[in-house]
């Protein structure tokens, strides 16, 4: 992109942000305490929430926001459904699976319009692809969305889901466990792809789920249904502030990363910048560029639900359209096409 083109994109985004601006109201004097539980530890894909919080945008909207570290999409969906947090970040398919089993959660904004899921291995271990997974170990945390969705992946590539052994490791231990060969395979988000490339080089094996036409919606903002019914204005305020913050980060990630790193220790800025470049790929699809940043396409949600019904047991009947809503989104804020 030329400097002129980049400036034009930035002006378009900032114009949308100005249109999305709002004044502090009487609600700001009686701010409501709201908890947002993340899917994992904070990284670049969470920078927008930290940036909006640092800028005082949530406060201006009447929200006293607490951001909590998560332990996987399954765990965050359970926590929100139980009322332990009003809002959360969870893989959409994982949230829908939980909803079909009675969890009271609804998605109100998609962050990853494309699945970030992928499997990594070392070519030197003799693995050439998923057909070599049987008899091997996969290391990831118990609440990892890829472990929840594993049956769908396994059946998609034509292997028995029961032929692998899962090993519990923390997100921070994935690379070390792979390097030491304590595990054969690990799952991880595409965000961290560059870090693994630097670590393993040509020995790195990788398969993105979306490359085998397994592309369910990824991380999404979910809300407890009782909260949604009782406090729709708060939910709308949170969604629109978050949209505004993501759009600001798309225009220039530097302030967002500064806010993230001021709140979270131990992050490497260069790695986070690499992550953000990958995240932009995951956020962009025809719906987020034409309808609104954060918008779901109903047909895709319905297809994701059918995916669950095809590959999982105990997926109870429900209307896929009830698993999400776009009604809180500001349609003036959209992802740039490039």
């Amino acid at each position: 992109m030329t400097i002129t083109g980049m400036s034009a994109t930035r002006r378009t985004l900032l114009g949308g942000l100005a249109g999305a601006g709002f004044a502090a109201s009487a609600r700001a004097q009686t701010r409501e305490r709201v908890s947002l539980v993340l899917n994992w530890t904070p990284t670049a894909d969470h920078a927008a929430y930290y940036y909006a919080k640092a800028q005082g945008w949530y406060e201006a909207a009447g929200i006293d926001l607490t951001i909590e570290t998560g332990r996987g999409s399954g765990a965050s969906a359970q926590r929100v459904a139980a009322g332990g947090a009003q809002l959360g970040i969870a893989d959409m398919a994982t949230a829908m699976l939980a909803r079909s089993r009675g969890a009271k959660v609804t998605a109100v904004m998609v962050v990853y319009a494309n699945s970030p899921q992928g499997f990594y291995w070392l070519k030197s271990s003799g693995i050439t692809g998923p057909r070599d997974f049987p008899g091997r170990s996969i290391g990831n945390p118990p609440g990892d969305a890829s472990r929840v969705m594993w049956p769908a992946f396994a059946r998609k590539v034509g292997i028995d889901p029961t032929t692998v052994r899962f090993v519990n490791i923390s997100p921070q231990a994935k690379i070390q466990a792979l390097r030491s060969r304590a595990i054969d395979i690990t799952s991880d988000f595409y965000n961290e792809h560059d870090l693994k490339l630097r670590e393993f080089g040509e020995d790195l094996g990788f398969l993105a789920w979306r490359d085998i036409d397994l592309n369910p919606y990824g991380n999404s903002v979910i809300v407890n249904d009782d909260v949604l019914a009782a406090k729709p204005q708060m939910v709308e305020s949170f969604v629109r502030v978050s949209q505004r913050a993501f759009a600001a980060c798309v225009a220039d990630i530097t302030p967002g990363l500064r806010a993230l790193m001021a709140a979270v220790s131990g992050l490497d800025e260069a790695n986070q910048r690499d992550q953000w470049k990958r995240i932009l790929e995951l956020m962009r699809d025809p719906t987020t560029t034409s309808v609104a940043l954060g918008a779901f396409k109903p047909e895709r949600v319905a297809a994701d639900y059918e995916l669950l019904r095809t590959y999982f047991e105990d997926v109870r009947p429900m209307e896929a359209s009830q698993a999400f809503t776009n009604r809180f989104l500001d349609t003036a804020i959209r992802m740039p096409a490039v």
Side-chain angles (χ1 to χ4, degrees):
M1 180 182 292
T2 65
I3 293 175
T4 300
M6 187 178 297
S7 298
T9 300
R10 182 176 173 82
R11 285 196 300 270
T12 300
L13 275 169
L14 295 180
L17 299 186
F22 48 84
S25 67
R27 289 183 295 109
Q29 299 175 17
T30 56
R31 287 189 290 271
E32 183 167 1
R33 293 183 178 179
V34 175
S35 291
L36 170 71
V37 59
L38 304 180
N39 53 309
W40 284 124
T41 55
T43 51
D45 56 334
H46 306 117
Y49 310 112
Y50 287 92
Y51 178 66
K53 183 176 172 65
Q55 293 296 304
W57 292 351
Y58 290 119
E59 288 187 4
I63 296 172
D64 180 6
L65 184 68
T66 298
I67 303 174
E68 303 178 16
T69 297
R71 295 183 177 276
S73 288
S76 60
Q78 291 175 1
R79 181 165 168 75
V80 172
Q86 292 93 335
L87 295 154
I89 310 297
D91 172 77
M92 183 57 179
T94 302
M96 276 204 295
L97 183 60
R99 182 181 175 89
S100 82
R101 295 170 177 172
K104 299 190 296 182
V105 294
T106 298
V108 291
M109 175 181 172
V110 65
V111 178
Y112 289 163
N114 300 290
S115 174
Q117 297 289 354
F119 282 113
Y120 292 87
W121 60 88
L122 300 183
K123 296 175 184 177
S124 56
S125 69
I127 298 174
T128 61
R131 292 283 186 171
D132 297 322
F133 284 9
R136 304 281 189 159
S137 60
I138 299 178
N140 53 22
D144 194 286
S146 66
R147 188 181 295 200
V148 176
M149 294 296 293
W150 166 252
F153 177 90
R155 293 190 173 107
K156 180 73 174 179
V157 298
I159 62 177
D160 185 340
T162 65
T163 57
V164 303
R165 176 173 59 89
F166 282 99
V167 178
N168 295 338
I169 60 173
S170 70
Q172 297 85 356
K174 289 180 178 181
I175 287 180
Q176 174 58 32
L178 199 60
R179 184 195 302 117
S180 67
R181 301 184 187 265
I183 58 172
D184 300 305
I185 307 152
T186 191
S187 62
D188 213 348
F189 277 9
Y190 185 58
N191 312 11
E192 295 273 8
H193 191 73
D194 296 282
L195 190 63
K196 294 178 186 61
L197 279 175
R198 287 194 295 271
E199 179 69 30
F200 299 113
E202 292 297 323
D203 196 28
L204 184 69
F206 168 67
L207 178 67
W209 290 26
R210 60 192 178 279
D211 289 343
I212 58 169
D213 295 323
L214 190 59
N215 192 30
Y217 277 118
N219 285 358
S220 303
V221 176
I222 59 172
V223 61
N224 177 280
D225 284 354
D226 292 337
V227 173
L228 183 62
K231 301 174 181 178
Q233 184 57 56
M234 181 277 287
V235 176
E236 179 175 292
S237 295
F238 178 86
V239 168
R240 293 194 172 205
V241 167
S242 299
Q243 274 186 286
R244 180 186 177 197
F246 270 101
C249 288
V250 170
D252 183 3
I253 190 56
T254 298
L257 289 183
R258 286 175 182 162
L260 172 69
M261 297 179 70
V264 181
S265 62
L267 298 178
D268 177 77
E269 183 175 353
N271 178 39
Q272 297 306 308
R273 285 187 179 277
D274 285 342
Q275 284 200 34
W276 183 250
K277 292 174 185 177
R278 304 287 184 176
I279 290 163
L280 291 175
E281 297 178 47
L282 298 173
M283 289 176 63
R284 186 177 290 115
D285 82 334
T287 304
T288 61
T289 58
S290 66
V291 178
L293 188 157
F296 293 94
K297 184 176 182 178
E299 295 83 355
R300 277 193 64 191
V301 177
D304 288 354
Y305 174 61
E306 289 305 315
L307 175 75
L308 294 175
R309 291 186 62 192
T310 299
Y311 293 115
F312 286 85
E313 297 180 359
D314 194 27
V315 180
R316 300 167 195 171
M318 72 175 196
E319 291 293 330
S321 60
Q322 296 178 355
F324 77 99
T325 179
N326 287 332
R327 69 187 175 101
F328 299 114
L329 295 166
D330 184 346
T331 56
I333 303 178
R334 300 177 185 177
M335 279 291 292
V338 291

